[in-house]
Amino acid sequence: MSEAETEPTGGPLSAVQGTAMYVGAVLGTGVIALPALAAEKAGPASLLAWLALVVLSAPLASAFAALGARYPDAGGVSTYAMKAFGGRASAVVGWCFYLAVPPGAAAAALFGGAYVSAALGGGTATTTVTAVGLMVLVTAANTMGLRVTGRFQFMLAGLLVVLLLVAVALSLPKADTANLEPFAPHGWSAIMPAAALLVWSFAGWEAITHLAGEFRRPARDLPRATYSAVVIVGGLYLLVAFAVIVVLGDGAASSEAPLGDLMAQGLGGHARYLAAGAALLLTTGAMNAYYAGAANLGAALARDGAFPAWMSRGSVAGEVPRRSLAVVSALSFLALFAVGLTGLGTEPLVLLTTGSFVAVYAVGVAAAVRLLPKGTKGRASAWGASVAVVALLVMAGVYLLWPLAVAGAALLYLRLNRDRRAAAEEAAVAPEPPLEPAADATEGRP
């Protein structure tokens, strides 16, 4: 490991703030609706799907943390692909991640808006207005820079964890273990479709790698943040999923707002307002982390010649990539407008996003296997994560066509901008010029 890879960067993020970013990125919107959707597919056996994905996410998160600690760069997985497989692979991964964020952000904003609509009424109009407000808020927070973003995320993560724990604690006294029977009403084979739905809940372990260069000491703080987040997120998911099933029973499968129904069991009818607040916190946390990561990635890609050069401002650690952020925000609004115009709903957005992230995971884990030193914990985690990636690829199925199309577009862009890309790569690997010998003190004097 080179000295540059172990030295502290002096960035604004601490291990605690990094944990909050992780919790916001991964916990996010999955806990809002997916416990009910998974219960509809597999009944109480969906708990096994939750548990399996928690277990599989541990080596996946650990592998990305090891890469981020060793190579702290705003490019994240794109940088790892560059080091492992070259510029084309790097650009393809970068494009897949960057273009996955806008549809994912639009879907997340609509999830949060649906809870507000359920509490206040107003239907689609309330949902859409809330989604727009969330996008504006997250864009503004990231425009102010990562120091503000880290503190903002820490506050959000703390509040949402408290709300979830309170909701579970107040509702569990009304739990009935009879709701666990029959445990697998749709057969054991239904666990796999349930797990496929839950992939959305566990996307996010790669997101913070784009912010690795913003940690004060990436080699120390990034792994600490990762391990803490795995425990917090995994525990909360399992607690909420278990409570939804044992408290709501058969109603869990048909609930459109399972978190709200869970809170209502312990707090009464007004809980729908608290549920809406919790949903907004969860949604804002996820969107905040992804906007920050994608904005840094876009600037890094532009710096390396894979995106237009005018987007490169902000690619240096500590700078705010406002131009790249503006593109992410604009594309997110475009995705939201497309959903409103066509009336297709959020499902296509979720599935397209999931397909892209699975492709990113596949390349990232392959890079980890190639780059991380043999005999290290990171290398062992990478091999374990390979098993998880194979399962995710099978689950993604036909929706892998979207990242394939994005990959084709990225390669075409590189071909059309070959000269600038070559210059960027040469600059990245060029050795430092030798220092000129000091001139004699009398040279040039009369």
Side-chain angles (χ1 to χ4, degrees):
M1 187 182 298
S2 70
E3 184 178 350
E5 291 165 352
T6 57
E7 289 247 329
T9 65
L13 291 180
S14 65
V16 175
Q17 289 176 326
T19 300
M21 295 289 281
Y22 259 128
V23 170
V26 182
L27 188 62
T29 57
V31 77
I32 295 177
L34 291 183
L37 295 176
E40 182 181 7
K41 288 287 185 183
S46 62
L47 292 174
L48 296 180
W50 283 102
L51 179 61
L53 286 172
V54 169
V55 172
L56 289 175
S57 69
L60 197 63
S62 181
F64 282 119
L67 284 171
R70 186 172 176 82
Y71 307 106
D73 185 81
V77 182
S78 181
T79 295
Y80 316 146
M82 168 76 81
K83 293 180 177 294
F85 308 115
R88 291 183 178 180
S90 172
V92 166
V93 168
W95 276 59
C96 283
F97 183 94
Y98 193 84
L99 294 179
V101 171
L110 288 169
F111 287 155
Y115 266 66
V116 174
S117 179
L120 303 179
T124 302
T126 300
T127 299
T128 303
V129 169
T130 303
V132 170
L134 286 170
M135 289 183 177
V136 171
L137 173 64
V138 171
T139 301
N142 279 275
T143 299
M144 289 185 286
L146 281 171
R147 188 175 300 276
V148 174
T149 301
R151 293 170 181 169
F152 182 57
Q153 189 71 19
F154 178 72
M155 177 191 71
L156 289 177
L159 287 174
L160 69 89
V161 168
V162 169
L163 282 172
L164 290 176
L165 290 176
V166 168
V168 170
L170 292 178
S171 63
L172 279 181
K174 298 187 178 182
D176 185 356
T177 56
N179 290 326
L180 293 173
E181 299 293 339
F183 190 74
H186 308 298
W188 296 104
S189 61
I191 295 176
M192 181 62 74
L197 283 171
L198 298 181
V199 171
W200 168 272
S201 299
F202 291 88
W205 296 119
E206 83 297 334
I208 310 303
T209 60
H210 302 288
L211 307 179
E214 301 296 337
F215 279 81
R216 291 172 189 167
R217 293 181 178 272
R220 181 195 67 181
D221 294 340
L222 187 55
R224 288 181 179 180
T226 301
Y227 303 142
S228 299
V230 167
V231 173
I232 294 171
V233 170
L236 283 173
Y237 270 149
L238 291 172
L239 274 175
V240 172
F242 178 76
V244 165
I245 288 176
V246 298
V247 174
L248 300 183
D250 292 338
S254 58
S255 175
E256 294 184 359
L259 187 59
D261 292 341
L262 192 64
M263 289 181 173
Q265 294 292 322
L267 301 176
H270 292 294
R272 63 182 182 274
Y273 299 108
L274 184 58
L280 289 177
L281 288 174
L282 290 163
T283 303
T284 304
M287 292 174 61
N288 183 61
Y290 272 104
Y291 271 51
N296 277 272
L297 171 62
L301 288 172
R303 174 200 65 197
D304 296 337
F307 268 1
W310 61 269
M311 290 176 59
S312 63
R313 180 173 295 181
S315 60
V316 178
E319 295 182 355
V320 181
R322 292 187 175 89
R323 294 181 179 181
S324 179
L325 174 64
V327 174
V328 171
S329 182
L331 291 176
S332 299
F333 279 111
L334 183 62
L336 182 65
F337 174 76
V339 168
L341 185 66
T342 61
L344 291 176
T346 57
E347 183 176 349
L349 297 177
V350 171
L351 294 173
L352 290 175
T353 303
T354 298
S356 294
F357 284 145
V358 169
V360 170
Y361 279 165
V363 177
V365 168
V369 170
R370 185 162 186 174
L371 294 175
L372 296 177
K374 294 181 180 179
T376 63
K377 292 182 179 179
R379 180 68 173 271
S381 296
W383 281 114
S386 300
V387 177
V389 165
V390 171
L392 293 175
L393 289 170
V394 173
M395 293 175 188
V398 69
Y399 291 98
L400 289 176
L401 292 175
W402 168 243
L404 286 176
V406 171
L411 294 175
L412 177 61
Y413 181 88
L414 293 182
R415 184 178 182 84
L416 296 176
N417 294 270
R418 186 180 304 167
D419 293 340
R420 190 170 77 87
R421 176 72 179 180
E425 291 184 359
E426 288 177 6
V429 300
E432 292 290 334
L435 295 175
E436 293 292 335
D440 186 275
T442 60
E443 184 178 349
R445 292 183 182 179

